[in-house]
Amino acid sequence: MAESEDALAIRHVTERLMTAHPQLDAGLVRRSVRTAYEELRYARVRTYLPVLMERRAKDLLPPDEQTERHS
């Protein structure tokens, strides 16, 4: 059962990041989410796994136009 919950979390995080960053390649987003999941999959507390996965996946993605926002 935990496997299907993890798969659902991976799908939701991937969808959120793809919506938030439509300019990025979908494969790149999927790989970053998968890497984030692999790094966190053995966490004891599962409650925050989706949030932590999303944050880590964002860190793995290339920076976007943040430099333009600060100008």
Side-chain angles (χ1 to χ4, degrees):
M1 183 110 170
E3 194 73 33
S4 64
E5 289 176 14
D6 286 357
L8 186 62
I10 289 168
R11 190 179 77 199
H12 286 167
V13 169
T14 302
E15 289 171 357
R16 279 195 301 273
L17 287 175
M18 289 173 77
T19 301
H21 303 280
Q23 76 281 8
L24 294 177
D25 178 61
L28 177 63
V29 174
R30 281 190 213 97
R31 285 190 302 275
S32 69
V33 172
R34 176 55 68 179
T35 299
Y37 171 74
E38 292 298 327
E39 291 176 1
L40 298 165
R41 71 185 294 178
Y42 296 111
R44 288 186 193 181
V45 179
R46 311 293 290 174
T47 305
Y48 302 107
L49 183 63
V51 172
L52 295 172
M53 278 178 19
E54 187 166 351
R55 287 181 183 173
R56 178 62 182 132
K58 281 181 186 177
D59 288 344
L60 295 170
L61 292 173
D64 55 2
E65 306 79 22
Q66 290 179 5
T67 54
E68 290 179 20
R69 289 184 212 150
H70 294 306
S71 301

